Amino acid sequence: MDDLSLLSDLSLFLKEKKANGVKIVAYLAHDNIPEELLDAAGFFPLRMMFGGNDDLMDASHNFLPPSTCAFAQSCIGLYSTKPNIFSFLDLVDFFIVSNHCVSDICVSEIISKHFNIPRLDFYVPYTKNNSSLKYFKLELLELKKRLEAITGTEITNEKLFESINKYNEFKRVLLKVNELEILGSEKLKVLQRAMLYGPEFQPDLEKFIQYVRENPSSLLETSKDILFTGCSIFVNDNLVDLIEEGGGNIIFFDTWIGSHYSSQIINDSSIQTEKDPLDLLVLKFKDNIYGDHTVPNFLEQKVALIENYYQKYTKTKGRKLGVINHIIKFCDHISLLSSFLKERLQEKGISVLNLERDYSRANSGQLLTRIEAYLEMME
Amino acid sequence: MSLIADEIIQFSSVLRMAYNLLTGRNYLKRKKFREKEKLVAVTLPFSDLAFAAGTIPVFPIRMHQFEISQYLTYLGSASSIFGWNTVSNFLGFIRNLGINEISKIVDDIIEDVIDVINKKYNEMYDIGIENGISSDFCYGLKSLVGMHVTKGSNVDACLNVTIRCSAYNKYLESLKAINKGPKQIWVDIPPRNIGNAIELLTNNVSNAIKEFENLTGKTITDNQIRDHFKIGNQVKRAYKNIIYEISASDFYPCNPATFSEIMALLSISFQDYNSNAPRYRDNIMALEREMRERIRKGIGMDVADRPRIFVTPMFGGWEPKSHEIIYELGGRALYADWELLRMLEEIPTSSHSNPAEEYARFLMNATETGIGCDNDKLTDSYLRMARDLNADGLIFFQLFGCHSISNCYTMLREKVRRELEIPTTAITFNKIGENVEQVKTRLGAFMEMFR
């Protein structure tokens, strides 16, 4: 199941969707986008979660200065160069312009404007006080209205409840994947595929979990366990391979592709008691305490999460655990707080590698050396 | 620099502002320790609530000791006895007599004012990087981190207003990690004006006011807030008059490089009004009067034949030599960042108004029509400003590491060409003084278009 076949399968999958009259809404791979609402409106949410390379980054420079987040650059590159394996991007009907970070706004706006894809706006407040939660609901109402205008069909509460339940179930299964004791690269591929296909992939996920449980793989005792945090590893990015080549194994993905996404489950009691399903989406936003978009408590939450996991893991497994904080170059959120995160965790005796990089393949050797050096230090 | 110095001493208001900016440390120490006032760190022109609450807002760099010429200190002391106008007139008089030594002293004073600020900015930039902010961020953020690392522990609170720049918002979050002591007071501006967003922002402003009350232990009345808004409005009115009625006119009260220098000083000091709003108001109003008086008397320079070059953005860092270079190349540089971002809009102060709501409207207006929630709106702001200034050309400072504003240049260039049909160019900027030769070359090529 390599990246090429994943993308090729995805292409067929999306073509089939289109053939069935489903409209595709793409957005940069960040959280807080209400995929349940898109789903309830009959749209297919497509996350732009594709890693880049030198060519893709270079191709963005007609639009953006090179000192822009490498992921954002690559998203533009995908549209301006349209590599064959990404031809499915032509199928996108709408692009969401959102403000997860300011690069998200710029890139989504550029893609919409220059590649003639109608935009849907969805902006997210930065804090989480009462006013912000009410504002989030305003944005939900605006988006709902816009989607209804496009389809000419009302998004009923019933449909929205159904979608919320569907995504909730899907995330519960995904959580189990993150807990499986398998090779990190294998786990990542499953997570990536699941997050691209959405809840329709759930039956395959369940089969996969069943298979792994029945056929437990023996992980190398010599490999070093890694908790991976920071920026996600996107499709077509070889970072996980480099980590494994260096002697590490990611046992926990504390990234958006990983536990961060799958932990955003709305509790059942709220679903049963809440009359307005949009309020459930507001609740999900409120409870999304590990999202890097929000201020001012992201750093504290992140430190607490990593520390808890670390303590629990080292106690129950009796093994050392390293932390790799992945920083995609020029990423506002992860980069700015990275030195503080490292300092705070190191104060607690947790060693951290702040691994900053872009998608240049020429840096692979250098990255590998840094990873190897860090893993050696863990001994 | 002598020409600039020669011009600046004619404006006693500018000397006062410069003096107040550079000697902020002593003023702030007095306020904090003797008068037991609360200091509040502010960035960008968001000082209103801090003033209204009776606290002392400070743009953190001003807590530093500046290496100012001892003569400026003497000047400050003399002015406290004889008054600034007398001192300024005296300096102008002895300079006109041609006493070289005195002229040199005056030159030194002015050079100090301009260069010392920039040197300090660069120092803060280096400290920021040494203390963990990645060198990949923009000049402004790196300098701000440096300011808080060095002096942030002196403030009682930080007033944090979210804007569209995600790096800036994360920098605001990092403040409590840099210094644990100061209280963090937040105002989250909703990204768009939809539904009852104004009401929600009003709640956020009201909550911030409550936080200020907790900080000072004093109740803040609506009238107090209105009183400050009235002062702020006077400041903004004078600032706008200087931008529209003087900088866009064809006769300047001084040479264009001096004029730009003054505008740069206003841009920096507008963020915290040099920590004293009434004093700042008096100075900027006096500045406007002095300028008008000189123009009325025909003192100054006819600049009708000099193309108006709108230079922007400069608030997050820009090469301060640029206006001098543009001047030498036959043009004049216009600075108007705060007006472009709609930070010079007046706030209604009628007795039946709700000041928290009026401030919310002010912030929302700046967000919606100034800074913009996307680049389409932001670039419209640049176009509007260039149009209003009747600009002949636009120079865009593209800050290395700026992902918020610099990223709009491609869109801006297209719009400028299509809608304004004036030349435009981008100059990359990383650090003050780092690239002056390249800036010269770029500006040289750009200014050729006006010959």
Side-chain angles (χ1 to χ4, degrees):
Chain A
M1 199 163 59
D2 60 11
D3 289 340
L4 217 56
S5 74
L6 168 62
L7 295 171
S8 157
D9 291 350
L10 179 67
S11 188
L12 288 173
F13 174 77
L14 294 175
K15 278 179 186 160
E16 206 177 302
K17 286 273 172 208
K18 287 285 277 190
N20 291 330
V22 175
K23 295 202 182 303
I24 296 167
V25 181
Y27 54 92
L28 260 64
H30 294 311
D31 60 359
N32 295 322
I33 299 294
E35 53 194 359
E36 298 89 341
L37 189 58
L38 299 171
D39 180 69
F43 290 76
F44 180 78
L46 174 67
R47 298 178 187 89
M48 295 286 294
M49 42 181 275
F50 312 108
N53 56 38
D54 301 82
D55 291 342
L56 292 176
M57 290 190 295
D58 290 345
S60 74
H61 297 165
N62 286 338
F63 303 95
L64 292 168
S67 62
T68 305
C69 144
F71 168 65
Q73 287 186 45
S74 299
C75 287
I76 300 262
L78 283 176
Y79 268 95
S80 60
T81 62
K82 286 274 165 63
N84 271 341
I85 48 166
F86 289 97
S87 60
F88 57 81
L89 292 175
D90 285 333
L91 304 172
V92 171
D93 297 285
F94 296 93
F95 211 97
I96 291 184
V97 175
S98 185
N99 65 332
H100 178 82
C101 59
V102 77
S103 296
D104 187 340
I105 305 175
C106 295
V107 168
S108 310
E109 201 180 4
I110 288 167
I111 290 174
S112 167
K113 191 180 166 74
H114 290 272
F115 303 99
N116 301 316
I117 305 173
R119 66 189 260 185
L120 298 169
D121 288 351
F122 188 81
Y123 286 82
V124 183
Y126 269 95
T127 59
K128 282 198 182 154
N129 59 29
N130 285 339
S131 300
S132 313
L133 298 179
K134 286 177 187 162
Y135 180 80
F136 189 77
K137 187 162 180 187
L138 285 180
E139 286 283 348
L140 288 170
L141 285 164
E142 285 283 312
L143 181 62
K144 181 171 178 275
K145 224 185 292 172
R146 181 81 203 280
L147 295 172
E148 288 172 337
I150 292 167
T151 60
T153 314
E154 188 198 348
I155 304 169
T156 62
N157 282 358
E158 195 186 348
K159 269 192 206 165
L160 192 46
F161 272 121
E162 197 182 301
S163 291
I164 287 170
N165 279 317
K166 185 163 77 174
Y167 274 89
N168 246 12
E169 285 313 306
F170 172 58
K171 284 173 187 171
R172 283 200 175 99
V173 180
L174 266 183
L175 268 184
K176 290 180 194 161
V177 174
N178 212 18
E179 286 158 10
L180 291 176
E181 291 188 358
I182 55 174
L183 202 58
S185 54
E186 201 181 339
K187 190 184 285 183
L188 179 66
K189 287 198 190 308
V190 175
L191 291 172
Q192 287 173 339
R193 184 173 276 259
M195 290 182 69
L196 277 173
Y197 283 78
E200 288 180 49
F201 190 63
Q202 191 174 322
D204 291 319
L205 269 185
E206 282 163 349
K207 275 185 214 156
F208 177 76
I209 293 166
Q210 184 69 23
Y211 176 81
V212 172
R213 283 179 181 160
E214 287 168 7
N215 304 279
S217 58
S218 52
L219 290 174
L220 278 177
E221 281 299 312
T222 52
S223 69
K224 309 285 182 350
D225 298 346
I226 296 296
L227 180 151
F228 189 84
T229 189
C231 300
S232 296
I233 304 178
F234 294 131
V235 176
N236 236 7
D237 181 3
N238 65 348
L239 181 60
V240 70
D241 302 322
L242 283 179
I243 291 171
E244 286 174 6
E245 198 181 326
N249 181 40
I250 299 173
I251 48 95
F252 187 69
F253 287 92
D254 170 40
T255 48
W256 184 74
I257 297 179
S259 73
H260 178 198
Y261 174 77
S262 47
S263 64
Q264 291 182 50
I265 296 170
I266 303 165
N267 66 62
D268 288 335
S269 60
S270 299
I271 294 176
Q272 279 152 17
T273 53
E274 193 56 69
K275 289 196 173 98
D276 183 353
L278 289 182
D279 286 332
L280 290 174
L281 298 181
V282 175
L283 180 68
K284 189 180 82 165
F285 168 67
K286 185 186 167 195
D287 291 343
N288 176 16
I289 56 172
Y290 303 117
D292 53 276
H293 169 83
T294 317
V295 293
N297 297 321
F298 165 72
L299 182 64
E300 278 89 345
Q301 305 284 12
K302 183 58 84 181
V303 169
L305 180 136
I306 294 174
E307 189 190 5
N308 286 343
Y309 188 91
Y310 179 90
Q311 300 296 359
K312 199 172 149 191
Y313 188 85
T314 48
K315 197 173 167 189
T316 54
K317 300 283 179 189
R319 285 170 66 88
K320 286 184 179 169
L321 182 64
V323 175
I324 293 182
N325 184 29
H326 177 214
I327 306 156
I328 292 179
K329 200 163 174 63
F330 298 113
C331 166
D332 284 351
H333 294 176
I334 304 299
S335 179
L336 210 141
L337 295 174
S338 60
S339 60
F340 299 108
L341 180 75
K342 184 171 178 166
E343 193 183 295
R344 293 279 178 90
L345 289 172
Q346 284 185 337
E347 279 168 9
K348 296 171 190 300
I350 303 169
S351 76
V352 179
L353 171 65
N354 273 340
L355 192 64
E356 189 185 57
R357 39 90 68 152
D358 61 14
Y359 288 127
S360 169
R361 299 288 157 126
N363 295 341
S364 295
Q366 202 185 353
L367 274 178
L368 181 59
T369 308
R370 289 200 63 201
I371 293 164
E372 282 173 339
Y374 174 72
L375 295 174
E376 268 173 37
M377 258 175 42
M378 279 175 66
E379 281 169 9
Chain B
M1 194 56 107
S2 63
L3 186 55
I4 294 175
D6 189 36
E7 297 284 350
I8 278 187
I9 62 164
Q10 306 297 329
F11 296 105
S12 65
S13 52
V14 175
L15 279 180
R16 287 198 293 268
M17 280 184 175
Y19 180 78
N20 294 338
L21 191 147
L22 295 183
T23 57
R25 181 178 161 83
N26 293 337
Y27 176 80
L28 294 163
K29 275 170 84 172
R30 194 177 75 229
K31 285 285 168 190
K32 185 176 169 75
F33 296 112
R34 283 202 208 153
E35 299 175 27
K36 307 290 176 204
E37 304 274 14
K38 303 286 184 192
L39 303 188
V40 177
V42 294
T43 327
L44 304 178
F46 292 127
S47 61
D48 293 301
L49 291 183
F51 275 121
T55 60
I56 310 293
V58 53
F59 183 52
I61 199 167
R62 291 189 50 255
M63 288 184 278
H64 273 274
Q65 181 99 48
F66 288 91
E67 287 173 21
I68 50 172
S69 147
Q70 56 177 318
Y71 301 107
L72 185 59
T73 314
Y74 296 152
L75 209 58
S77 308
S79 69
S80 62
I81 302 166
F82 303 110
W84 275 101
N85 282 339
T86 312
V87 171
S88 180
N89 288 340
F90 174 68
L91 281 174
F93 172 71
I94 51 176
R95 185 178 170 79
N96 290 339
L97 289 178
I99 302 170
N100 288 337
E101 202 176 325
I102 297 295
S103 294
K104 177 77 175 58
I105 290 168
V106 174
D107 282 355
D108 286 348
I109 291 170
I110 304 307
E111 275 192 42
D112 270 349
V113 173
I114 306 304
D115 294 342
V116 154
I117 297 169
N118 295 333
K119 269 186 203 153
K120 190 60 78 176
Y121 263 109
N122 274 354
E123 196 185 317
M124 294 301 104
Y125 170 104
D126 293 334
I127 292 171
I129 293 174
E130 281 163 24
N131 282 275
I133 183 168
S134 162
S135 57
D136 289 345
F137 286 98
C138 74
Y139 183 83
L141 279 191
K142 283 180 275 198
S143 309
L144 283 170
V145 169
M147 292 177 207
H148 278 275
V149 165
T150 48
K151 295 292 174 190
S153 60
N154 294 329
V155 297
D156 300 283
C158 300
L159 176 56
N160 303 329
V161 182
T162 60
I163 56 169
R164 73 178 218 143
C165 174
S166 41
Y168 180 78
N169 296 335
K170 282 289 156 185
Y171 142 78
L172 293 177
E173 176 174 356
S174 75
L175 293 181
K176 65 177 174 180
I178 296 172
N179 290 298
K180 292 185 177 67
K183 182 184 182 71
Q184 305 294 325
I185 300 175
W186 287 84
V187 177
D188 188 15
I189 305 177
R192 298 195 288 167
N193 189 6
I194 54 171
N196 65 338
I198 291 284
E199 192 186 316
L200 301 175
L201 179 51
T202 303
N203 291 340
N204 288 347
V205 170
S206 300
N207 288 337
I209 291 169
K210 275 180 206 144
E211 294 284 314
F212 272 109
E213 287 178 332
N214 293 338
L215 177 73
T216 60
K218 293 175 192 160
T219 306
I220 302 164
T221 65
D222 283 359
N223 278 341
Q224 259 177 279
I225 304 174
R226 282 191 206 103
D227 285 347
H228 169 70
F229 288 168
K230 282 176 193 164
I231 295 172
N233 288 346
Q234 289 172 301
V235 170
K236 291 168 186 172
R237 211 170 302 148
Y239 202 158
K240 273 187 150 180
N241 288 342
I242 292 169
I243 290 173
Y244 287 116
E245 293 176 26
I246 301 176
S247 86
S249 74
D250 284 336
F251 191 88
Y252 276 12
C254 52
N255 85 57
T258 306
F259 195 87
S260 303
E261 205 86 44
I262 295 172
M263 297 307 279
L265 188 66
L266 287 183
S267 182
I268 296 168
S269 56
F270 183 71
Q271 294 178 88
D272 68 355
Y273 294 177
N274 285 341
S275 298
N276 185 327
R279 184 180 69 183
Y280 192 77
R281 180 225 17 225
D282 294 346
N283 285 335
I284 195 168
M285 287 173 74
L287 174 63
E288 186 195 346
R289 272 199 308 276
E290 284 169 359
M291 285 180 165
R292 287 190 191 279
E293 185 63 10
R294 283 171 65 86
I295 292 169
R296 195 182 62 77
K297 289 179 181 169
I299 305 169
M301 193 168 164
D302 188 329
V303 289
D305 59 340
R306 287 179 173 266
R308 298 176 175 90
I309 310 299
F310 179 32
V311 180
T312 188
M314 40 99 68
F315 70 92
W318 96 119
E319 179 46 61
K321 293 274 181 225
S322 32
H323 48 256
E324 215 176 315
I325 300 168
I326 290 170
Y327 170 67
E328 282 163 8
L329 292 167
R332 45 175 157 151
L334 310 184
Y335 296 130
D337 275 1
W338 301 133
E339 169 63 358
L340 180 149
L341 298 174
R342 298 276 197 206
M343 302 306 295
L344 299 185
E345 295 298 299
E346 293 188 26
I347 304 172
T349 54
S350 68
S351 55
H352 59 268
S353 64
N354 171 359
E357 185 181 333
E358 295 301 349
Y359 193 58
R361 287 188 192 284
F362 164 77
L363 292 176
M364 185 56 89
N365 180 50
T367 300
E368 278 263 303
T369 65
I371 303 163
C373 61
D374 60 24
N375 281 349
D376 201 28
K377 286 189 175 160
L378 176 64
T379 47
D380 283 347
S381 296
Y382 284 105
L383 254 61
R384 168 179 49 80
M385 200 65 237
R387 213 177 269 128
D388 290 350
L389 290 172
N390 203 11
D392 300 299
L394 189 149
I395 290 168
F396 188 86
F397 267 97
Q398 207 161 25
L399 265 70
F400 172 83
C402 166
H403 310 143
S404 180
I405 290 181
S406 291
N407 282 359
C408 83
Y409 182 64
T410 309
M411 193 186 282
L412 177 64
R413 188 180 53 200
E414 277 173 29
K415 282 190 180 181
V416 168
R417 282 180 185 165
R418 199 175 56 236
E419 296 178 36
L420 297 183
E421 296 180 340
I422 59 171
T424 179
T425 193
I427 294 179
T428 52
F429 170 81
N430 185 39
K431 189 179 181 186
I432 293 175
E434 197 177 76
N435 240 348
V436 178
E437 284 311 308
Q438 203 193 336
V439 172
K440 259 186 199 166
T441 310
R442 294 297 301 269
L443 289 177
F446 182 74
M447 293 305 291
E448 278 295 319
M449 286 191 260
F450 298 97
R451 290 195 178 146

